[in-house]
Amino acid sequence: MKEEIIIAGFGGQGVLSMGKILAYSGVMQDMEVSWMPSYGPEMRGGTANVTVIISDDKISSPILHEYDTAIILNQQSMDKFEAHVKPGGTLIYDGNGITHHPTRKDITVYRIDATEEAARMRSVKTFNMIVLGGYLKVKPVVKIENVIKGLKKSLPERHHHLIPMNEKAINRGMEIIHEMEVEA
Amino acid sequence: MKELKLMKGNEAIAHAAIRYGVDGYFGYPITPQSEVMETLMAEKPWDTTGMVVLQAESEVASINMVYGGAGCGKRVMTSSSSPGVSLMQEGLTYLAGSELPCVVVNVVRGGPGLGTIQPAQSDYFQAVKGGGHGDYKLITLAPASVQEMADFVEDAFELAFKYRNPVMILSDGIIGQMMEKVELKEFKPRWTPEYIEENFPWATTGKKKGQERRIITSVELDPYVMEDFNYRLQAKYKACEENEVRYEKIMCDDAEYLLVAYGSSARICQKSVEIAREKGIKVGMLRPITLYPFPEKQLKDLAAQVKGILSVEMSAGQMIEDIKLAVECKIPVQHYGRLGGIIHSPGEVIEALEQKIIGG
Amino acid sequence: MSDTNTIISPENLIYKKTDVLLDNTMHYCPGCSHGTVHKLIAEVIDELGIQETTIGIAPVGCSVLAYNYIDIDWQEAAHGRAPALATAVKRLMPEKNVFSYQGDGDLAAIGTAETIHACNRGENIVMIFINNGIYGMTGGQMAPTTLPGMPASTCPAGRDVSHDGAPIKISELLAQLPGTCYVTRQAVHTAANVRKAKKAIRKAFENQQANKGTSLIEVVSTCNSGWKMSPVQANKWMEEHMFSYYPLGDLKDE
Ligand SMILES: Cc1ncc(C[n+]2csc(CCOP(=O)(O)OP(=O)(O)O)c2C)c(N)n1
C-alpha cells in the first residue's frame, strides 16, 4: 500500500496539523511516512500545503508532482492542484468559497462541507478533523484507533481533553462526505 | 528500546546533539533552520546533560564561539542557512587553520544574496572547496533523510575529532523542514574534563604545572614553517580522501545510465529511477554521502559501465564539475536542476535524462 | 668586595620578574605600552595563583603573538572576535579564568558587535583594551579612536570629524550596559599609573572570581612608531591630547 496525498488550503485551517496527525497515525501502524510542508512566513494567512506519504515500503521522494489524493480547502489550491491528481485518483474538497468546481472526469470527486459543519457543531477548531474523517471514509489508509493514538502523540498533554471532541468530528466527517457527479 | 519519533530534520539535529553529549551550541536564527535552536531551547539540555545553548548576536559571533569552545576540546556546533554560513566563512578558515574540530550544519536555501527561503543546493562549491581563504577543506556530509540528519551529528563529530577539522552537514530546506520517522540513539554522557585532558593534549584547559602551555592559533609568520604546516594539512586531507568516502548505490548493477545526486535531490532521483525502470530504462543512481571527500573512484568505475551521467542538483551545476573530473570526460556528463528554490520533480528528471543523455 | 655572585645572591633580591612572564624577546617597538600591560597581567595571574586555570584570548593586532609572552594557555582569535571566543570558553568551563586582550581596531571597529554583546550579556570575563589611537600592526592607519586632527596614514591631514565621525568612546558606551560591573580607564606611562593599572587588572580578575559580570580595562597607550614620535614625545603627546578626550579613572565600579 502506498498513498500520496496533498492537503492544501489557507494557513490557519489546520492543514499542516491534519497532515501531521495522518502521518502520526501511519507511524502508529508501523508504516513509512513523510510529511513535507510548504514553509515560511507567507503561510501565516496565505496558502499552506503539505505533502503526506504513507507507505508499506521505504519512501523515495518526499516531493511529488502527482498525487493519489488531493484534499483541497480553498479556490487557490483548487486552481493549483486539480490538474496534479493522478488519473483514477481522488479529489476531496470543501465547497465553502469555491467558485470553480472540479471538472476532471478521470478522477473521483468528493465534497465535504466541513466549514459549514464545524460552524453547526460550534467547534471551528475541529474543521480539519471533519475533513480527515471524510478522507478516511473514502480512503481507509489508517485505522481510526491509530488516528486517536496519533492525536495523543501530536497534541501536548494539556490538550488531551479535546480528543473526544476530535473523535466526534472525525465521525461526523465520515457521515457527511459524498461523491459528486462532475458536470460536463 | 527502539524509540521511533516523527519529527523534522531540524528537530532531529537538536535531539541528536543532546543525546550524543554535545557540549555547546551557538546559533543565530534564520529560515529554514531556526527549529534547531528553538528545539534546543525548549528541551533545556543545560538542566539535563549540562549542554550550553546560546543565541549569539550574529553568525560571525556564533562561529567564533564555536572556535572558543572547540579550542577547549569540547564538542561544539552551530547551524545556519546560506546567508549565515557565508558570514561564517571567516571563522571556518580559522578553525581549519587552527586544526579545531567542530560541526556546522547548513540547511541550504536559494541565493545569491538574501535570495529565497525555499530549498536549494547552490552552496556546494562553498562547502566542498573550503569556502574561506587558504588551502583547506571541510569534510562535508550530505544527509538525505531525517534519520540521517540525526545520525550524521555523531558521524560528523567523530570525523571532526579524528581529523581535527571542521565538518559540515550540508542539508537543505527540504530535509530540514520535512518530518519522517526517526530512531534516536540512547543518551551518552558528555566527555568529562578528565577525558578531554587525557585525549586532547592540544586543548586549552589551563596550563598544568610542569606542562608546556597550549596555544590554539592559525598564525605563523615564518613562511617555511607555514609551508610545512600546509603540507601537513594536505596530507591530512589525502588520508581523509583515502579513508572516509561514503556513498550509496541504487540499482547500479545493470545500469546503462546513471543519475548522480545528493541530499534531497537524491530522494527525488530515487523516485525517478523507480519510474524510469517501470518504463524499461535501465537507470541507476549514485548518491555521494560525503561530498568532500568525493566518491571519485566509484564514479570512475561506473563510467566504464554506463553510457552517460546526469548530475541532478538544485543549482546551476556545481557538483557536475567534480563528476567530470572523476570520469575524466570519458563519457557524456550533463547537468539538470531547477534554481532559486524550485524543486525539480521526479518526472522532470526523467525528461532531462531522456533529452540530454539518452537522446543526446 | 662585591663580585656579581654576591650581588645576585638571594638575600639581595629586591625585585623578581614573575615566572608567568616568559623570557622570549618581545617583538614590540621600544616604548610600546603592550609590553608593560603584558607584565602586569602576568604578575596578577601569578599573585592570584591562577596560572593553571587562566585562558587568554589574543587578538589580531600588534598583540597577536601575546601568547609568546605570558605562560598560560591561549587561543588566538580572528580580528575582532576575541569576545565571542571568550564567551564560549567561559561558558563551557565556568571554573576557569578567561580574559581577552584587544586593540582599539579589534575591540571598537571590526569587533564592535562582539564587544557590545559580550558585555551586554554580562559575560563573566575580563577584557583588556589597549587604546593607542591607531592601527599599529598594519602600519599606522586611522583607528576608531584616532583623535580629531590626529594624522594617520589613511587620514594624512588628520582625522576630519565631518568625514570620519568623532573618535568612539567605547568604554563610556560599554559602561552603560547592565552586564558590565567594572569599567575603568588607565595608563601605564608612569610608575604611579602602572601601579594603578595593575590594581585595576587585579580587581577585574577578582570580579570574575566573584561572578560579577564583565570587567573592562581600557589602557590609554602610545604607539610611537605609528604616531611617528620618540617614546618620550609620545608619552608627552598622550598626556597632552589623549587624556583630555579619554580621561583616566573609573567609569563604573559596582
Ligand atoms: C578581517 C581582517 N581585516 C583586516 C586585517 C588587518 N589588520 C591586522 S591588525 C589590524 C589593526 C589592528 O589595530 P588595533 O586593534 O588597534 O591593534 P594594534 O595593532 O594597534 O595593537 C588590521 C586592520 C585582518 N587581520 N583581518
Side-chain angles (χ1 to χ4, degrees):
Chain A
M1 201 290 291
K2 174 144 122 200
E3 168 81 348
E4 299 175 331
I5 314 148
I6 180 116
I7 310 169
F10 289 119
Q13 275 179 319
V15 166
L16 300 190
S17 57
M18 174 179 164
K20 193 166 162 183
I21 292 159
L22 196 54
Y24 252 119
S25 317
V27 175
M28 294 301 130
Q29 221 155 293
D30 218 13
M31 296 173 84
E32 297 298 324
V33 300
S34 77
W35 175 95
M36 178 68 215
S38 60
Y39 61 84
E42 84 277 15
M43 278 159 45
R44 295 175 201 125
T47 58
N49 68 67
V50 60
T51 303
V52 177
I53 306 174
I54 304 180
S55 167
D56 288 329
D57 303 316
K58 236 181 138 202
I59 293 163
S60 51
S61 178
I63 305 269
L64 304 165
H65 70 315
E66 277 195 328
Y67 308 92
D68 297 312
T69 302
I71 299 173
I72 289 178
L73 305 174
N74 66 5
Q75 185 63 50
Q76 281 148 290
S77 304
M78 183 72 84
D79 298 343
K80 197 164 164 192
F81 292 112
E82 183 187 355
H84 292 276
V85 179
K86 290 181 197 168
T90 303
L91 187 155
I92 297 170
Y93 76 105
D94 183 332
N96 184 48
I98 297 288
T99 48
H100 300 89
H101 292 261
T103 53
R104 278 181 62 182
K105 294 204 158 130
D106 60 338
I107 58 175
T108 314
V109 176
Y110 295 90
R111 178 165 166 164
I112 180 162
D113 288 326
T115 311
E116 230 176 81
E117 191 59 28
R120 196 172 306 135
M121 289 170 76
R122 292 179 195 285
S123 69
V124 190
K125 286 222 172 111
T126 58
F127 161 81
N128 62 350
M129 290 298 103
I130 299 175
V131 178
L132 182 63
Y135 166 71
L136 290 172
K137 174 75 196 261
V138 301
K139 286 268 177 128
V141 291
V142 287
K143 296 202 190 98
I144 300 294
E145 68 204 62
N146 286 323
V147 177
I148 304 301
K149 275 197 214 158
L151 259 173
K152 275 194 190 135
K153 277 268 173 189
S154 59
L155 282 180
E157 198 90 33
R158 61 182 196 280
H159 289 150
H160 278 192
H161 67 281
L162 300 172
I163 288 175
M165 201 168 85
N166 281 285
E167 203 170 350
K168 208 174 124 199
I170 291 171
N171 289 328
R172 189 68 192 129
M174 297 183 121
E175 287 162 23
I176 65 169
I177 191 161
H178 56 283
E179 194 174 337
M180 297 289 288
E181 281 297 323
V182 172
E183 288 157 34
Chain B
M1 196 202 76
K2 206 164 118 166
E3 206 182 331
L4 273 182
K5 301 210 164 178
L6 184 67
M7 63 173 73
K8 290 187 175 195
N10 289 337
E11 294 165 344
I13 292 259
H15 286 288
I18 299 170
R19 284 166 180 253
Y20 181 57
V22 169
D23 296 299
Y25 171 96
F26 306 92
Y28 188 80
I30 184 170
T31 309
Q33 67 77 50
S34 296
E35 293 86 355
V36 179
M37 189 166 38
E38 286 167 355
T39 305
L40 287 169
M41 291 297 189
E43 290 293 316
K44 299 190 185 146
W46 48 90
D47 283 340
T48 51
T49 71
M51 179 183 183
V52 169
V53 186
L54 185 63
Q55 176 167 341
E57 63 271 25
S58 69
E59 291 86 352
V60 175
S62 50
I63 193 69
N64 280 286
M65 290 174 182
V66 164
Y67 182 111
C72 304
K74 301 280 184 180
R75 292 195 286 211
V76 284
M77 65 184 291
T78 183
S79 66
S80 187
S81 180
S82 311
V85 176
S86 288
L87 271 184
M88 289 184 188
Q89 293 307 320
E90 176 199 54
L92 283 168
T93 170
Y94 278 74
L95 280 148
S98 301
E99 296 198 87
L100 291 179
C102 72
V103 174
V104 176
V105 183
N106 185 356
V107 182
V108 178
R109 59 189 243 182
L114 196 52
T116 167
I117 58 170
Q118 298 306 321
Q121 295 183 307
S122 41
D123 297 353
Y124 177 92
F125 282 150
Q126 187 194 54
V128 307
K129 305 295 178 191
H133 60 280
D135 272 321
Y136 75 96
K137 304 274 192 181
L138 300 179
I139 300 170
T140 306
L141 297 173
S145 63
V146 174
Q147 185 65 56
E148 284 188 344
M149 285 288 254
D151 294 346
F152 285 7
V153 170
E154 175 164 350
D155 295 0
F157 271 109
E158 274 171 14
L159 286 167
F161 276 86
K162 181 169 174 190
Y163 291 94
R164 281 185 63 186
N165 200 72
V167 176
M168 176 162 286
I169 297 179
L170 191 70
S171 175
D172 65 55
I174 298 176
I175 307 292
Q177 289 296 327
M178 72 189 254
M179 287 205 287
E180 287 186 311
K181 283 202 290 195
V182 42
E183 187 184 346
L184 295 172
K185 299 211 167 122
E186 299 284 316
F187 282 88
K188 286 190 188 142
R190 285 170 51 231
W191 284 338
T192 59
E194 293 72 31
Y195 180 91
I196 292 172
E197 215 44 64
E198 242 168 68
N199 288 278
F200 310 118
W202 44 265
T204 56
T205 52
K207 178 190 137 75
K208 308 292 163 306
K209 278 223 164 52
Q211 187 181 281
E212 275 291 297
R213 73 189 186 288
R214 296 167 178 178
I215 299 161
I216 302 289
T217 184
S218 61
V219 63
E220 176 49 65
L221 298 177
D222 180 341
Y224 290 97
V225 179
M226 197 60 197
E227 186 183 40
D228 281 346
F229 171 71
N230 267 280
Y231 282 135
R232 202 156 61 65
L233 264 192
Q234 292 309 313
K236 190 166 90 171
Y237 295 136
K238 187 107 206 303
C240 183
E241 285 162 21
E242 272 158 22
N243 301 318
E244 308 301 345
V245 171
R246 298 183 199 181
Y247 59 91
E248 183 187 12
K249 271 185 185 175
I250 289 172
M251 310 211 84
C252 283
D253 287 351
D254 63 343
E256 291 174 5
Y257 304 100
L258 187 70
L259 300 177
V260 182
Y262 70 91
S264 58
S265 195
R267 294 288 295 272
I268 293 162
C269 286
Q270 209 175 322
K271 180 109 183 170
S272 309
V273 171
E274 288 164 18
I275 301 171
R277 288 266 170 179
E278 278 170 26
K279 291 171 81 175
I281 311 171
K282 287 188 173 168
V283 189
M285 180 176 87
L286 179 82
R287 169 169 85 96
I289 294 173
T290 49
L291 299 178
Y292 177 80
F294 195 66
E296 274 180 48
K297 193 187 152 318
Q298 290 70 22
L299 267 166
K300 204 171 165 182
D301 293 349
L302 281 165
Q305 172 196 326
V306 300
K307 295 179 192 154
I309 295 177
L310 188 67
S311 170
V312 187
E313 43 171 349
M314 295 184 283
S315 79
Q318 301 192 10
M319 181 176 61
I320 186 173
E321 295 192 3
D322 285 335
I323 299 173
K324 282 187 170 172
L325 282 173
V327 306
E328 294 167 348
C329 301
K330 286 189 178 128
I331 53 165
V333 181
Q334 295 285 340
H335 161 76
Y336 177 72
R338 299 292 300 266
L339 303 175
I342 300 290
I343 303 161
H344 35 251
S345 69
E348 285 175 314
V349 173
I350 297 170
E351 263 170 51
L353 179 74
E354 285 174 332
Q355 281 167 17
K356 295 186 170 203
I357 299 292
I358 302 177
Chain C
M1 195 201 67
S2 65
D3 67 55
T4 40
N5 282 336
T6 51
I7 294 173
I8 63 173
S9 68
E11 60 275 17
N12 288 331
L13 187 72
I14 54 163
Y15 174 83
K16 183 177 175 296
K17 178 190 78 69
T18 163
D19 289 337
V20 178
L21 195 68
L22 290 156
D23 288 331
N24 296 329
T25 313
M26 285 194 181
H27 70 283
Y28 300 113
C29 309
C32 175
S33 319
H34 276 307
T36 314
V37 181
H38 284 14
K39 188 190 82 163
L40 298 184
I41 295 171
E43 285 176 356
V44 167
I45 288 173
D46 194 0
E47 286 163 22
L48 292 176
I50 56 173
Q51 184 181 17
E52 290 188 42
T53 55
T54 302
I55 289 118
I57 314 292
V60 173
C62 286
S63 45
V64 61
L65 301 178
Y67 54 69
N68 281 338
Y69 310 125
I70 302 179
D71 192 17
I72 53 168
D73 282 1
W74 282 93
Q75 294 192 19
E76 203 288 303
H79 198 13
R81 318 298 177 220
L85 270 67
T87 295
V89 173
K90 183 69 187 182
R91 292 220 181 201
L92 287 159
M93 303 192 300
E95 71 288 359
K96 309 283 177 188
N97 301 285
V98 181
F99 74 96
S100 74
Y101 186 103
Q102 304 175 258
D104 43 75
D106 198 84
L107 181 139
I110 195 168
T112 311
E114 287 78 8
T115 301
I116 289 186
H117 286 280
C119 290
N120 193 53
R121 288 188 300 262
E123 296 298 342
N124 194 25
I125 56 173
V126 175
M127 296 171 76
I128 310 277
F129 165 35
I130 308 297
N131 178 7
N132 58 11
I134 204 146
Y135 282 6
M137 187 187 211
T138 39
Q141 295 84 5
M142 183 178 67
T145 51
T146 298
L147 293 181
M150 178 179 171
S153 69
T154 49
C155 55
R159 184 187 192 117
D160 174 357
V161 171
S162 71
H163 184 265
D164 303 310
I168 187 165
K169 296 188 183 185
I170 190 103
S171 295
E172 276 80 350
L173 212 148
L174 297 172
Q176 302 301 310
L177 302 174
T180 51
C181 62
Y182 180 43
V183 179
T184 184
R185 191 181 278 124
Q186 301 289 330
V188 290
H189 64 307
T190 68
N193 283 100
V194 167
R195 271 197 298 275
K196 273 195 207 153
K198 182 173 167 183
K199 253 193 175 154
I201 293 170
R202 188 182 167 112
K203 181 172 192 162
F205 276 96
E206 284 166 352
N207 283 344
Q208 179 169 172
Q209 289 177 329
N211 286 318
K212 286 174 85 172
T214 316
S215 297
L216 178 102
I217 299 176
E218 173 176 344
V219 182
V220 181
S221 305
T222 58
C223 175
N224 37 283
S225 302
W227 296 0
K228 314 255 181 294
M229 296 176 195
S230 72
V232 176
Q233 282 172 325
N235 276 346
K236 192 154 179 281
W237 195 88
M238 174 172 72
E239 283 181 330
E240 284 168 3
H241 298 89
M242 296 280 278
F243 290 166
S244 53
Y245 198 89
Y246 301 113
L248 302 187
D250 289 351
L251 291 156
K252 182 179 193 177
D253 183 8
E254 284 173 357

